[in-house]
Amino acid sequence: MKDKIWITGDGMVGKALIKTLSNEKKYEVIVTNRKNFDQTSQKKTDEWIKKNKPDIVIMTSALVGGIQLNSKIPATFLYENSIINLNIINSAHKYNCKKIVFLGASCMYPKNSKQPFKEEAIFEGKIEETNEGYGIAKLVGLKMIEMLNYQYNKSNLTIIPAASYGPNDCYDESKNHVIPALIQKIHEAKTKNLKNIKLWGTGKAKREFLYVDDMANGILHILKNYKDLSPINLGTGNEITIKQLAEIIKKIIGYDGKIIFDTSKPDGIKRKILDNSKIKELKWKPRFTLEEGVKLTYQDYLQKCSN
């Protein structure tokens, strides 16, 4: 009998997981989004899980946004994401799901921790202020998973992926992340023949990015092969400055103008890269380079523009 996997949200990561799972014959996939039921309601979450009886839960639903939105409405980020995380984990446990896979985020790590971030560094210091609401909600989810495992002898799992990007990313300027924001801004500058564009920060901040199909593949690889109960990072082991990233995107799009950095705006944390020792031990590595991933993402963006 097939295990029933519930993908809790159908955004970029959810869609990539659906695509990856389509090649897996041992699973039946069920997917939800905000239209199906309100995951901030414990009652409605209970009712849905009781009725649909998933065996495995992969938690992809969240209120997400870039540095601007995170800084603007931190209380909303903290409340909504904490409630969604706790409701799903609590209901899944209550109705005897075999395994809950909670997806953390690199902003959970203390901003002053030694990098690359090792999993044991979580809770060793204060997290970056610009992502504080979202990051604390992720820490709450991680702790709930950890405490359920301890209290009830369960084997639920927390995976901490690097910042993901790819097809079906969000291009809403109020809440998009670095790569979609740069693609949109540089593409518009090209179409409008602008001589220059202005980007936030110094351009010197370093980030790690994970193409969303690699992320989906990595999640399933961990689900099948990781036997430990401690959190595990899912990253490439590669990092790049925002300036270098902008130049790559500029080249792929074919924009000839100049990029100017507005140093009065925040960079966020100066460096953010995950230690990927554990995932390497599981014999996993990404299939896509950053350049390949950005090209595919830009193609997806152009298709959405034409539609």
Side-chain angles (χ1 to χ4, degrees), residues 227-246:
K227 306 305 178 190
D228 202 337
L229 294 181
S230 60
I232 179 170
N233 288 334
L234 174 56
T236 64
N238 300 313
E239 61 184 338
I240 189 171
T241 67
I242 299 301
K243 184 179 180 182
Q244 290 169 326
L245 174 64

Side-chain angles (χ1 to χ4, degrees), residues 171 173 176 180-197 249 253 255 298 301-302 305:
Y171 293 96
E173 287 184 22
N176 55 13
L182 287 175
I183 285 175
Q184 186 169 36
K185 194 156 194 171
I186 295 171
H187 173 80
E188 287 179 357
K190 180 188 175 184
T191 57
K192 294 174 182 176
N193 294 313
L194 300 181
K195 291 181 180 179
N196 59 65
I197 55 169
I249 294 173
I253 291 174
Y255 173 60
Y298 183 52
Y301 174 75
L302 288 175
C305 288

Side-chain angles (χ1 to χ4, degrees), residues 5-11 14-15 18 29-33 36 48:
I5 291 191
W6 173 31
I7 311 297
T8 69
D10 66 350
K15 284 183 169 69
I18 295 161
V29 180
I30 46 176
V31 187
T32 56
N33 57 38
N36 297 109
W48 190 91

Side-chain angles (χ1 to χ4, degrees), residues 67-134:
I67 190 171
Q68 294 182 59
L69 193 63
N70 267 279
S71 302
K72 191 177 179 181
I73 53 167
T76 306
F77 268 84
L78 174 59
Y79 176 77
E80 279 202 26
N81 286 306
S82 296
I83 291 293
I84 289 168
N85 294 339
L86 291 174
N87 283 351
I88 292 171
I89 294 168
N90 188 52
S91 291
H93 168 70
K94 190 190 298 184
Y95 293 104
N96 301 311
C97 294
K98 291 180 190 174
K99 189 178 280 286
I100 306 162
V101 180
F102 175 68
L103 299 182
S106 56
C107 63
M108 296 161 63
Y109 281 101
K111 65 177 182 178
N112 294 323
S113 279
K114 184 181 176 183
Q115 298 202 37
F117 289 132
K118 288 183 177 290
E119 291 89 347
E120 54 266 30
I122 293 170
F123 291 106
E124 286 186 350
K126 187 173 171 56
I127 63 177
E128 168 62 37
E129 291 84 354
T130 53
N131 282 312
E132 197 170 21
Y134 185 74

Side-chain angles (χ1 to χ4, degrees), residues 9-32:
D10 66 350
M12 177 180 67
V13 176
K15 284 183 169 69
L17 278 164
I18 295 161
K19 184 173 80 172
T20 303
L21 282 163
S22 66
N23 300 315
E24 297 276 345
K25 294 179 180 177
K26 62 184 282 190
Y27 300 118
E28 176 189 344
V29 180
I30 46 176
V31 187
T32 56

Side-chain angles (χ1 to χ4, degrees), residues 12 19 163-169 171 179-180 183 209-215 236 245 248-249 252-253 286-302:
M12 177 180 67
K19 184 173 80 172
S164 59
Y165 72 98
N168 302 302
D169 213 330
Y171 293 96
I179 288 181
I183 285 175
F209 297 99
L210 181 64
Y211 186 62
V212 72
D213 285 3
D214 281 331
M215 181 175 170
T236 64
L245 174 64
I248 286 171
I249 294 173
I252 287 168
I253 291 174
R287 291 178 297 160
F288 296 88
T289 65
L290 183 63
E291 289 83 355
E292 289 167 342
V294 170
K295 282 179 184 175
L296 291 167
T297 307
Y298 183 52
Q299 288 169 14
D300 178 71
Y301 174 75
L302 288 175

